[in-house]
Amino acid sequence: MDNRIDAIYGRQSIDKKDSISIESQFEFCRYELKGGEGREYKDKGYSGKNIERPDFQRLLQDIKLGLIKRVIVYKLDRISRSIVDFAKLMELFKQYNVEFVSCTEKFDTSTPMGRAMLNICIVFAQLERESIQMRVQDAFYSRCTKGYYMRGRTPYGFDTEPIVMDGIKTKKLVENAEMDFAELMYQMYAEPSSSYGDITRYFVKNSIDVYGKALQRAFISKLLRNPVYVQADMDIYEYFKAQGVKSKAPGNVHGGQ
């Protein structure tokens, strides 16, 4: 007698209007149980680009322990959007005699045609993910070349100021009084005999705090490597070009100052 149980798995990357919630996914999956019981596994806030998700790893562990009879999902891309990962998962399911059920796609993994259709669909799932990734990268690059501030923590020595560029509301970086201390770090480090330790001791001795705390060596290292403090001109463009940095628009250089 097979005492194994059914497993329902749901995944949601982020909350947005066109994204189906995990609870809605589970409602679809419960129809496949036909009144039976199923153990639920869910990962919220995780991408389908890999399988490194806490509850999914727990599901895989339960499969290997021989506890799972079927894995039921709302749609196969809830499991994975990677062809390589999905192929490995299908081998694992086959090894432990676990049936895979997609509620909205109705695949029969017990037949060669069903497995072939499953693989075709996962190819398109990966294509969709990579297409979205490429569109995001292109949009990010386009906004950078136009000088838009791309969010994240405002660099030390700067504030943000609202502006409108090409009809789009965005922000630009403007220097504040702390920029004097940022420049001091550069000036001190430019001295051959000066070290991170010398700079931190000077700041502590003169009661100069950074973000309300004593200056740390790690902060100096990070600041000195941040290109936002570099004057944007053709000299620095040629420098980065010599280091192997590629640019799609060499005549359009933007920087922090």
Side-chain angles (χ1 to χ4, degrees):
M1 182 177 178
D2 193 345
N3 293 321
R4 295 181 300 165
I5 61 175
D6 289 332
I8 297 175
Y9 179 76
R11 178 185 64 80
Q12 185 182 24
S13 298
I14 55 175
D15 282 315
K16 56 182 182 179
K17 289 189 296 185
D18 59 346
S19 175
I20 184 168
S21 69
I22 289 179
E23 185 53 42
S24 295
Q25 294 176 39
F26 283 171
E27 287 182 12
F28 276 92
C29 294
R30 290 182 188 120
Y31 283 110
E32 296 293 333
L33 297 177
K34 296 180 173 59
E37 295 293 325
R39 183 176 296 177
E40 296 178 352
Y41 303 80
K42 59 183 178 181
D43 287 307
K44 190 168 186 178
Y46 287 88
S47 168
K49 66 182 180 182
N50 58 55
I51 59 175
E52 298 304 318
R53 294 165 246 141
D55 242 24
F56 190 71
Q57 289 298 317
R58 187 167 66 91
L59 169 59
L60 295 182
Q61 185 63 33
D62 286 348
I63 289 174
K64 293 174 182 178
L65 291 173
L67 304 177
I68 306 301
K69 177 174 61 177
R70 290 193 302 172
V71 174
I72 305 170
V73 297
Y74 165 73
K75 194 177 179 182
L76 68 90
D77 64 6
R78 298 302 87 195
I79 286 282
S80 176
R81 289 179 180 269
S82 165
I83 299 172
V84 174
D85 285 341
F86 198 81
K88 291 179 180 178
L89 290 172
M90 289 300 102
E91 287 298 320
L92 179 70
F93 291 174
K94 183 178 179 181
Q95 178 182 350
Y96 289 92
N97 194 28
V98 174
E99 182 183 349
F100 175 73
V101 178
S102 171
C103 296
T104 58
E105 292 146 335
K106 300 299 180 185
F107 294 115
D108 180 2
T109 57
S110 66
T111 67
M113 183 58 71
R115 289 192 293 272
M117 291 301 297
L118 195 62
N119 289 329
I120 289 172
C121 285
I122 201 64
V123 167
F124 280 99
Q126 177 166 329
L127 175 62
E128 179 187 19
R129 179 179 67 84
E130 292 177 352
S131 297
I132 292 172
Q133 184 180 39
M134 184 61 69
R135 288 198 298 270
V136 171
Q137 289 176 345
D138 289 345
F140 191 91
Y141 176 81
S142 176
R143 291 175 67 85
C144 285
T145 58
K146 293 177 180 178
Y148 293 167
Y149 177 54
M150 300 308 293
R151 307 302 180 187
R153 185 175 186 177
T154 305
Y156 181 73
F158 289 101
D159 290 323
T160 56
E161 182 179 288
I163 59 169
V164 177
M165 296 180 64
D166 297 334
I168 298 175
K169 292 181 180 180
T170 182
K171 294 182 179 181
K172 69 176 180 179
L173 295 176
V174 292
E175 295 182 13
N176 60 30
E178 294 173 335
M179 182 56 71
D180 292 339
F181 299 133
E183 292 179 352
L184 179 59
M185 293 182 210
Y186 275 94
Q187 291 167 4
M188 294 184 68
Y189 191 71
E191 296 294 328
S193 60
S194 183
S195 67
Y196 289 171
D198 295 328
I199 300 173
T200 55
R201 284 188 289 272
Y202 177 87
F203 272 63
V204 171
K205 181 179 178 181
N206 290 275
S207 301
I208 304 173
D209 290 341
V210 174
Y211 293 130
K213 300 185 295 185
L215 179 63
Q216 300 293 321
R217 298 185 186 190
F219 180 86
I220 302 173
S221 175
K222 186 176 180 180
L223 181 138
L224 294 177
R225 288 172 169 80
N226 193 337
V228 76
Y229 298 101
V230 178
Q231 179 68 42
D233 55 22
M234 289 308 298
D235 287 339
I236 196 62
Y237 167 74
E238 292 296 340
Y239 169 79
F240 279 116
K241 183 179 178 181
Q243 301 303 310
V245 177
K246 296 180 181 180
S247 172
K248 296 181 181 179
N252 192 3
V253 182
H254 294 265
Q257 298 185 45

